[in-house]
Amino acid sequence: MSEETKKTKIGYYPGCAITKCSTSEEYGTSVLGVSRVIGPELEEIDDWNCCGASSGHATNHKLSTALSVRNISLAEKDGYDEVLAPCPMCSQRLIVSQDDVENDEKLRKEVEDAIEMPISRNVKVSNYLEIVKNYSMDEIAEKQKRKPEGLKVASYYGCLLVRPPKILKFDDPENPKTMDDIVKAIGAEAVDWEFKTNCCGGGFTLSRPNVVIKLTHDILEGAIDAGANAIAVACPMCHANLDMRQQAIEKEYGRRFNIPIVYISELIGLALGLKPKDLGMDKHFIDTGSVIDTFSDIEK
Amino acid sequence: MSKKIGVFVCHCGTNISATVDVEKVAEETKKNNPRVAYTTTYKYMCSDPGQKLLRDKIKEEGLTGVVVAACSPKMHEHTFRNAAVKTGLNPYHVEISNIREQCSWVHPDIPTGTDKSIDLVRMMTEKTRKDKSLTAIKVPVTKRALVIGGGIAGIQAALDIADGGQEVVMVEREASIGGHMAQLSETFPTLDCSQCIMTPKMVEAAQHDNITMYTWSEIESITGYLGNFDVKIRKKARSVDLDLCTGCSSCWQVCPCKKIKSEFDMGIGNRTAIYIPFPQAIPSKPVIDRENCILFKDARKKNIKPNDSKVCRKCIDACPIAPVKAIDYNQEDEIVDVKIGAIIVATGFRELEDGLYGEYGGGKYEDVITGLQFERLASASGPTEGKIKRPSDGKEPEIVVFIQCVGSRDPAKGCSYCSKTCCMYTAKHTMLYKHKVHDGHAFVFYIDIRCAGKSYEEFSQRAIEEEGATYLRGRVSRVYKKGEKLIVLGADTLTGSVVEIEADMVVLASAMKAQDDAEQFAQKLSIQYDKDKFFSEMHPKLKPVESSSAGIFLAGTCQGPKDIPETVAQAGAAASKVLALLSSDELEREPVVARVDRQLPPVFSTCIGCFYCQKVCPYSAIESEDIKARDGSVIKTVARVNEGLCQGCGLCAATCRSKSVELEGFNDEQIYAEINALEFN
Amino acid sequence: MKIKITTEERKSDFAKEVEERSGIDVKKCYQCGKCTAGCPVAYEMDYMPNQIIRFVQLGLRQEALTSRTIWLCASCITCTTRCPKEVKIAELMDVLREMALEEGIANPMEKDITTFHEAFLNSVKKHGRISECGMLMEFKRKRPKAALKSALQDVADGSQLMMKGKLSLAPHDIKGKDNIKRIFEKLG
């Protein structure tokens, strides 16, 4: 990475789920913590709003588009060329909405009228894995302090990082590798498994818990059977469903998994020597101690 | 002189060796048969190194007879005999013992298969001891081809042969060449006008110096054999002199019988009694339909010569040809004899008969039509000049339902096979309909959409995606009339629902069937046909255009349903086979033929002249011969085998009461040697 | 089920309406079933995803819009990703849900799901961002049974979340929340 790109400030769009005091705050905490050590520099976009998430696009396409696009316009106003949305629900909504207005002049006008701002064509929206891959791989190698021993990680991407592939254009939608590469970069074993992009049930947490229980069960089982002792995620919804449901799954299926679900940013943080608590790793439902304990100082 | 015999046992990969202990076969053969000088086994005897092994060992060991224990002689007898020829050995000293089809493939346990193989090899070794050198028979070739059928298959084949410099005689039973392709409106997948691409070929065929065309003619009989067929052609009485007639149209314009259903228009248009089938007909000269012409009806009723009837003479009166009119009511059928070297059968198909499906109302409701009828509706030269009007009242139909697989894939009532072309032509029909009736709706009931062919899938998808045809997956159970509408009761299995459509017209994609007289015709030609009466090819993969009889080839839909490109390709292939045949002055054929013995005087022959052999011969190969004294007086009349015709079936040899007939290569001595080998060991 | 097609009925073209709203041409679908094969929620649905497309193809508005399937679609986009004919099936589900709500014929059996969406968007409308607590409260008030069921499986009562400090009671209003309200008024 050249000196110049390293210094580029990137607009930070946390989205509702990963801000402080939210269900997935540890994701935001660890993303910001890691960026402070290895960059790139992140600055929160002023006065961002909710992208509307699945409830938005599931019920009102125009509304959903406007809510998403407003944030991109705000980012441009603040002078950012690139925006990081660590939550894949957000990044996917932002990118798809950007694509929708790009290809539908009528929609574009309606949305501009609603958000009371011109629509930016130049801001690039990135997910967290892209940011790490594009800006921080060398820095991780440079600044790594601790290394895991015997940590076998199943990288779980879920739906929204890779689909729809024609619009998101990120990695192989059937067998993505970016997160696995990061896992390998910090010295853990990347487990090859079959459920990398299966759906966890996403937004049905409240409304259709039975669906979530089944889908998360299949994913957990797939990871364990492939020999993983941790699952890495980069999505607050995937995390919530996999982390919070393990008791219920045991009740339903009679199989105890007790497998820690960690954010990829937390793993990077541990490798950089950040304190687990500062990464929010005490906020998980399934204890992350077994993951933390695999890390030890690199002897230099 | 005792023979030195070599036995080569093939593994055929594991085809044989998996269930026959080939090593044991070789060992036992060597051990128990003093005349076997050499045995070996090899993985693939038919491979190049396998054949080399055979050649080398013949030379090294000085073998004078060879048995290859391998697959069926049908497969590789030719291969191994050819290999032997290269060493100077007469090929008829090479025999095949079939231990694959007759042993390894049918006996799952190793001991049984192995024991039987040992027996079979021993039998063949004994036969080989008695083998004699034989020489191939040479037969002359008549350099002229016969093409039966004047549709696209026949025309293409005739043109290819004629362009190759050989003479062609073409026989078409209808009044014009053109066949079904001339009836079509536009063709898939390019939607080019069928007649626009067909008529130039028809004209070319008609004008070609090397093609003699007989229309309104049929094959009376075919005798003879490869290179030397004798063909009788029946020129049916046309009642019009083709040499005199100029095709001026005066006659059919005045004909008072105007309401005869046109065969060419599939019954949805009319013609006169003296008529040309369609404007571009070739020859463009009329024929009188003697069934329907009132003059001929009158003559039949009164039992007088047609020319003596005075009921109606409008056509002959209108004929401007003088002094002799071009119309001849008394014309009679004429038989033409031609000598032919090779034959292409291109007799085409017919559409499934109307009325077979009462539930669809075919033949009952005027607005339920067949695929070919729709072609005529959509054709610019058809009865509606290409406008889509329903037959009953001429109204433009707003909803048309197309039903696929009518008769096809219906073993209960129709045929078990797929007619192959209907998916594509139905897609085409929906397009033609939508092009002509923009706000019309086309519905297609289908079981599967089978569009395998270059650009075919894209074509059928275009019908759905761009032309907006609605495809419903399911058969139709019933079509009935309600007021002016046809109610179509079908299903859509994709939604799992009953579908009821108020249609204005229904088009049935009727099956392609073999011609009604296909069976009799095949018997006339001595060619095989399948359960559906389509003519059988010699081999489904490797000999797709050869019939079961030497010198007779197949082209087009007489062999099975196929579309135009496939038909043209097959016709070209058949033509190239014929050209190859006609390129030599004489043909060689296997000397496996029967012979009636000849002795020195005073016996001359043991044949007693009973001619039972002639009665049983299926190939008319037995002739009679007078044995004459020097003064010309007949001493004895005996049987003689025409080598050209004899197919070596052996019926005559088995029938002969005086044991005067023997089959070369399978004589009594050889057969008994085989049997004895089995009995005494 | 019975589909009746007459000249009159052909004039209202549901498929065309869907295409005009979404740009999705359902005619392209050849009903191979790959969408259904890969759908993680198909086992819960009343009609398979490909059947929903079929309904649109055949103009069966009522069947499509009142189905439970359209609400059970998790928007995972596996179908769209793998569709050999590039039919945007997941996006089609969005349009159908939208139409069902507009016409007030969303399947009442899936009220839990529609209520969740409603509660979610109400929160966004009010604050500009999600107030997880507020949204949970609204959902709990409107669908107490579903909330209880979910609570048994750990989540919806939020008590555990609160113990972890992951649920804030105080909603955060953004500065531009008036603009957000106007967006909802114009497009909602």
Side-chain angles (χ1 to χ4, degrees):
Chain A
M1 235 17 83
S2 73
E3 282 301 300
E4 219 173 71
T5 35
K6 217 169 28 176
K7 278 182 187 150
T8 314
K9 277 188 196 170
I10 287 175
Y12 181 59
Y13 175 77
C16 308
I18 71 171
T19 50
K20 267 270 172 252
C21 301
S22 295
T23 41
S24 306
E25 64 161 70
E26 63 270 34
Y27 188 25
T29 309
S30 55
V31 164
L32 291 170
V34 164
S35 94
R36 277 192 287 274
V37 182
I38 54 167
E41 205 176 316
L42 302 175
E43 270 181 2
E44 189 163 328
I45 295 166
D46 185 39
D47 210 40
W48 57 268
N49 61 274
C50 172
C51 70
S54 43
S55 296
H57 76 78
T59 57
N60 187 332
H61 179 243
K62 278 182 198 163
L63 176 68
S64 157
T65 309
L67 289 174
S68 295
V69 164
R70 180 177 181 270
N71 296 301
I72 300 171
S73 292
L74 285 176
E76 188 175 51
K77 212 168 76 182
D78 289 350
Y80 302 108
D81 292 336
E82 186 168 5
V83 167
L84 163 63
C87 168
M89 178 87 249
C90 303
S91 62
Q92 191 234 36
R93 284 326 308 156
L94 262 52
I95 296 168
V96 169
S97 299
Q98 211 174 11
D99 187 76
D100 282 350
V101 291
E102 196 59 42
N103 293 309
D104 186 342
E105 201 45 42
K106 201 172 147 245
L107 178 68
R108 179 185 187 84
K109 291 222 169 82
E110 276 180 88
V111 168
E112 277 184 337
D113 176 56
I115 65 173
E116 298 159 7
M117 271 185 287
I119 291 176
S120 149
R121 287 171 194 262
N122 303 319
V123 176
K124 178 185 182 323
V125 179
S126 299
N127 67 49
Y128 184 60
L129 299 177
E130 279 177 292
I131 292 288
V132 174
K133 187 180 144 215
N134 292 343
Y135 297 98
S136 312
M137 293 305 271
D138 293 344
E139 280 75 3
I140 291 174
E142 244 169 64
K143 299 192 175 155
Q144 185 163 5
K145 290 207 176 98
R146 290 167 73 81
K147 206 168 180 175
E149 181 67 42
L151 181 59
K152 296 176 181 173
V153 180
S155 295
Y156 176 59
Y157 299 77
C159 312
L160 304 166
L161 282 169
V162 289
R163 292 189 289 261
K166 282 193 179 129
I167 297 171
L168 299 185
K169 300 186 183 75
F170 170 70
D171 214 333
D172 175 349
E174 299 300 344
N175 187 18
K177 295 260 170 61
T178 314
M179 201 182 328
D180 298 71
D181 290 344
I182 300 169
V183 164
K184 282 187 242 171
I186 62 163
E189 187 185 324
V191 172
D192 186 23
W193 66 311
E194 300 300 330
F195 296 83
K196 283 182 176 181
T197 61
N198 272 39
C199 176
C200 71
F204 288 146
T205 291
L206 285 180
S207 50
R208 269 291 179 137
N210 59 326
V211 169
V212 179
I213 296 275
K214 183 201 176 286
L215 299 180
T216 45
H217 163 265
D218 296 349
I219 293 160
L220 293 170
E221 190 175 66
I224 296 266
D225 291 350
N229 50 27
I231 297 175
V233 296
C235 170
M237 277 187 300
C238 297
H239 188 272
N241 282 337
L242 292 176
D243 187 41
M244 295 195 292
R245 296 271 173 208
Q246 293 194 24
Q247 260 184 10
I249 292 167
E250 192 186 335
K251 229 181 271 169
E252 180 78 26
Y253 288 88
R255 185 170 176 186
R256 186 174 163 79
F257 293 113
N258 202 37
I259 182 170
I261 315 297
V262 290
Y263 286 102
I264 188 68
S265 47
E266 292 175 333
L267 285 181
I268 300 170
L270 289 176
L272 296 173
L274 300 179
K275 290 202 182 76
K277 201 165 188 305
D278 293 346
L279 295 165
M281 293 187 76
D282 56 331
K283 306 258 176 185
H284 292 224
F285 276 56
I286 301 296
D287 188 64
T288 53
S290 62
V291 173
I292 297 164
D293 291 346
T294 62
F295 282 82
S296 55
D297 290 345
I298 300 172
E299 290 162 31
K300 288 202 173 155
Chain B
M1 185 196 76
S2 104
K3 261 189 170 171
K4 273 186 97 179
I5 295 170
V7 176
F8 299 80
V9 186
C10 181
H11 294 233
C12 194
T14 56
N15 264 309
I16 293 171
S17 63
T19 40
V20 167
D21 182 346
V22 288
E23 300 300 339
K24 191 177 172 196
V25 173
E27 268 167 44
E28 291 289 314
T29 302
K30 172 101 194 207
K31 206 160 66 187
N32 300 329
N33 198 329
R35 285 186 189 81
V36 173
Y38 176 79
T39 61
T40 190
T41 70
Y42 194 73
K43 191 100 180 159
Y44 291 106
M45 276 308 294
C46 62
S47 69
D48 206 35
Q51 291 185 45
K52 185 172 182 298
L53 175 75
L54 182 80
R55 292 196 305 267
D56 290 349
K57 291 299 164 191
I58 291 174
K59 279 189 261 180
E60 285 167 25
E61 306 285 331
L63 303 177
T64 55
V66 167
V67 174
V68 183
C71 54
S72 161
K74 277 191 160 185
M75 192 70 78
H76 279 308
E77 185 180 71
H78 195 64
T79 311
F80 296 124
R81 283 184 171 172
N82 270 356
V85 165
K86 287 181 182 152
T87 68
L89 187 67
N90 182 282
Y92 297 93
H93 294 288
V94 176
E95 298 283 358
I96 303 288
S97 183
N98 182 358
I99 61 166
R100 190 178 75 175
E101 282 85 342
Q102 293 177 359
C103 296
S104 68
W105 280 0
V106 287
H107 298 296
D109 63 310
I110 295 174
T112 312
T114 307
D115 288 349
K116 186 173 168 189
S117 297
I118 293 167
D119 283 347
L120 289 182
V121 172
R122 190 172 55 246
M123 289 168 75
M124 204 43 79
T125 317
E126 287 303 304
K127 185 194 175 205
T128 308
R129 281 177 58 206
K130 307 288 181 189
D131 281 351
K132 288 181 206 153
S133 297
L134 300 173
T135 323
I137 298 166
K138 290 189 185 332
V139 283
V141 178
T142 307
K143 300 215 170 196
R144 187 181 298 113
L146 169 69
V147 173
I148 309 168
I152 181 60
I155 291 174
Q156 185 65 46
L159 283 173
D160 286 351
I161 298 168
D163 286 343
Q166 301 290 353
E167 270 183 53
V168 181
V169 171
M170 188 177 195
V171 177
E172 165 58 54
R173 71 169 160 195
E174 299 300 332
S176 167
I177 59 167
H180 286 306
M181 188 174 163
Q183 292 178 290
L184 308 183
S185 51
E186 279 153 37
T187 53
F188 59 76
T190 44
L191 291 187
D192 41 357
C193 152
S194 187
Q195 288 197 334
C196 307
I197 55 177
M198 184 63 174
T199 45
K201 276 191 183 289
M202 290 162 62
V203 173
E204 199 187 335
Q207 293 177 351
H208 206 296
D209 287 341
N210 283 346
I211 299 177
T212 310
M213 198 177 275
Y214 295 98
T215 53
W216 203 245
S217 299
E218 294 189 37
I219 299 297
E220 183 74 6
S221 70
I222 292 182
T223 53
Y225 53 93
L226 167 65
N228 297 277
F229 293 103
D230 292 300
V231 179
K232 286 188 193 300
I233 299 167
R234 175 178 292 271
K235 284 176 73 182
K236 294 180 283 185
R238 192 176 190 114
S239 316
V240 170
D241 187 315
L242 285 182
D243 293 329
L244 293 175
C245 174
T246 61
C248 72
S249 84
S250 310
C251 56
W252 65 80
Q253 283 183 8
V254 297
C255 179
C257 311
K258 295 194 190 298
K259 291 278 175 199
I260 303 165
K261 289 207 177 298
S262 158
E263 296 83 359
F264 187 80
D265 284 336
M266 301 307 291
I268 56 166
N270 295 330
R271 63 163 171 82
T272 45
I274 184 165
Y275 69 104
I276 58 167
F278 55 106
Q280 302 89 334
I282 288 191
S284 64
K285 294 169 187 182
V287 58
I288 294 180
D289 168 4
R290 292 185 170 188
E291 278 305 303
N292 289 302
C293 169
I294 49 174
L295 176 137
F296 282 91
K297 277 186 185 166
D298 179 60
R300 276 197 298 274
K301 206 166 85 188
K302 296 184 179 144
N303 204 12
I304 53 171
K305 285 209 158 228
N307 202 27
D308 297 339
S309 167
K310 304 284 177 248
V311 171
C312 168
R313 304 185 64 84
K314 283 189 173 158
C315 55
I316 203 164
D317 290 345
C319 180
I321 309 294
V324 180
K325 297 277 186 182
I327 293 169
D328 175 5
Y329 295 134
N330 282 354
Q331 197 183 61
E332 285 180 4
D333 288 4
E334 190 188 326
I335 302 291
V336 182
D337 287 293
V338 281
K339 288 211 166 286
I340 293 293
I343 298 170
I344 290 179
V345 183
T347 48
F349 74 99
R350 70 169 169 89
E351 200 178 38
L352 179 87
E353 58 271 26
D354 253 5
L356 186 58
Y357 286 84
E359 62 265 48
Y360 297 157
K364 183 177 174 192
Y365 306 127
E366 272 183 284
D367 297 329
V368 177
I369 63 174
T370 68
L372 273 177
Q373 286 176 324
F374 187 86
E375 294 288 344
R376 296 312 302 148
L377 265 192
S379 170
S381 71
T384 58
E385 292 172 332
K387 292 196 179 66
I388 306 295
K389 294 176 179 173
R390 58 183 205 170
S392 63
D393 54 10
K395 258 174 45 184
E396 190 174 75
E398 279 182 67
I399 291 183
V400 180
V401 170
F402 296 86
I403 305 177
Q404 292 203 172
C405 292
V406 177
S408 305
R409 306 175 69 193
D410 181 355
K413 205 151 57 170
C415 29
S416 55
Y417 57 85
C418 161
S419 290
K420 208 176 179 182
T421 56
C422 331
C423 285
M424 281 298 284
Y425 80 60
T426 298
K428 179 191 75 178
H429 285 171
T430 66
M431 290 189 197
L432 297 182
Y433 168 61
K434 292 284 280 185
H435 291 174
K436 291 175 186 206
V437 184
H438 298 303
D439 51 1
H441 295 286
F443 293 88
V444 179
F445 283 95
Y446 71 99
I447 326 178
D448 296 289
I449 307 176
R450 295 179 168 176
C451 296
K454 191 170 169 173
S455 306
Y456 283 14
E457 171 66 14
E458 293 90 326
F459 183 84
S460 75
Q461 288 301 310
R462 195 176 120 200
I464 299 167
E465 292 171 29
E466 290 172 34
E467 312 287 0
T470 304
Y471 273 61
L472 297 154
R473 202 211 160 274
R475 278 198 195 264
V476 166
S477 176
R478 178 99 159 88
V479 178
Y480 63 93
K481 208 164 174 174
K482 193 176 175 191
E484 284 194 348
K485 299 280 184 184
L486 290 162
I487 308 297
V488 180
L489 277 181
D492 179 58
T493 61
L494 295 169
T495 46
S497 47
V498 175
V499 181
E500 185 185 309
I501 303 180
E502 277 187 17
D504 299 300
M505 191 165 88
V506 172
V507 182
L508 309 178
S510 302
M512 276 171 114
K513 300 271 284 183
Q515 295 280 15
D516 281 329
D517 57 353
E519 196 168 2
Q520 297 92 293
F521 194 68
Q523 285 161 3
K524 199 180 264 185
L525 268 68
S526 296
I527 58 173
Q528 289 173 7
Y529 49 93
D530 62 26
K531 66 176 187 359
D532 300 306
K533 315 287 189 313
F534 287 113
F535 303 146
S536 299
E537 65 281 10
M538 185 77 155
H539 188 283
K541 277 146 265 181
L542 301 178
K543 291 189 172 176
V545 300
E546 288 89 337
S547 78
S548 54
S549 284
I552 302 182
F553 301 91
L554 308 173
T557 50
C558 64
Q559 182 258 349
K562 53 179 69 70
D563 59 21
I564 297 167
E566 212 183 330
T567 296
V568 170
Q570 199 190 15
S576 82
K577 294 277 171 193
V578 167
L579 283 172
L581 246 172
L582 301 187
S583 67
S584 40
D585 297 324
E586 48 182 26
L587 298 170
E588 275 198 354
R589 47 163 312 206
E590 291 266 301
V592 181
V593 290
R595 280 193 203 287
V596 182
D597 78 348
R598 290 290 182 269
Q599 312 260 343
L600 292 170
V603 182
F604 300 102
S605 170
T606 57
C607 172
I608 54 168
C610 69
F611 290 99
Y612 275 22
C613 50
Q614 198 173 42
K615 289 203 182 93
V616 298
C617 178
Y619 304 100
S620 315
I622 309 284
E623 298 165 351
S624 71
E625 184 186 18
D626 291 336
I627 295 172
K628 292 176 182 169
R630 275 171 210 270
D631 63 0
S633 61
V634 175
I635 299 169
K636 197 172 187 182
T637 300
V638 295
R640 184 180 65 187
V641 176
N642 180 325
E643 288 182 345
L645 290 175
C646 176
Q647 300 291 316
C649 72
L651 270 180
C652 51
T655 311
C656 182
R657 301 189 296 175
S658 59
K659 298 222 171 290
S660 307
V661 191
E662 281 207 323
L663 185 61
E664 297 281 15
F666 294 91
N667 63 33
D668 286 358
E669 210 187 354
Q670 288 168 309
I671 302 292
Y672 281 124
E674 284 193 60
I675 296 168
N676 289 339
L678 192 59
E679 197 178 341
F680 299 116
N681 279 281
Chain C
M1 204 194 324
K2 182 163 178 174
I3 303 170
K4 203 169 173 204
I5 295 162
T6 64
T7 315
E8 282 313 301
E9 277 161 49
R10 287 300 299 164
K11 284 178 181 149
S12 74
D13 197 334
F14 183 40
K16 202 171 254 171
E17 193 183 332
V18 167
E19 186 175 358
E20 274 161 14
R21 286 183 74 126
S22 64
I24 298 167
D25 180 5
V26 293
K27 290 201 298 301
K28 288 204 292 192
C29 168
Y30 54 24
Q31 291 290 321
C32 69
K34 193 167 181 171
C35 48
T36 298
C39 178
V41 204
Y43 73 97
E44 281 278 290
M45 293 171 166
D46 52 352
Y47 298 109
M48 294 300 105
N50 67 291
Q51 287 181 301
I52 297 294
I53 308 175
R54 191 71 183 146
F55 291 154
V56 183
Q57 286 179 327
L58 299 184
L60 302 174
R61 170 188 283 273
Q62 199 68 16
E63 283 77 0
L65 297 186
T66 60
S67 72
R68 298 174 69 174
T69 295
I70 57 173
W71 297 105
L72 285 165
C73 162
S75 300
C76 74
I77 323 192
T78 306
C79 45
T80 304
T81 303
R82 294 187 184 145
C83 176
K85 296 281 283 175
E86 301 185 275
V87 177
K88 295 183 172 180
I89 303 135
E91 292 79 347
L92 173 72
M93 296 297 173
D94 281 348
V95 184
L96 297 178
R97 285 188 279 248
E98 204 172 301
M99 289 170 87
L101 288 179
E102 279 173 14
E103 292 172 34
I105 53 172
N107 192 308
M109 304 283 281
E110 298 304 340
K111 198 90 186 157
D112 289 348
I113 295 173
T114 49
T115 306
F116 172 80
H117 291 322
E118 214 176 274
F120 189 98
L121 290 177
N122 279 341
S123 178
V124 178
K125 187 177 174 181
K126 215 164 164 183
H127 310 293
R129 290 180 195 166
I130 275 297
S131 153
E132 284 171 334
C133 199
M135 177 188 74
L136 284 175
M137 296 300 282
E138 183 179 337
F139 183 69
K140 210 171 163 182
R141 181 162 49 78
K142 289 182 174 165
R143 307 298 295 170
K145 265 192 202 156
L148 183 68
K149 201 173 153 205
S150 190
L152 294 174
Q153 289 164 337
D154 301 340
V155 185
D157 70 348
S159 60
Q160 289 198 56
L161 288 168
M162 257 183 279
M163 271 162 58
K164 296 249 174 203
K166 288 171 101 172
L167 200 57
S168 159
L169 291 170
H172 176 94
D173 285 358
I174 68 164
K175 287 179 280 174
K177 69 173 187 177
D178 290 346
N179 177 221
I180 301 294
K181 272 213 180 72
R182 287 196 296 279
I183 294 176
F184 271 86
E185 275 155 19
K186 278 179 187 158
L187 305 175

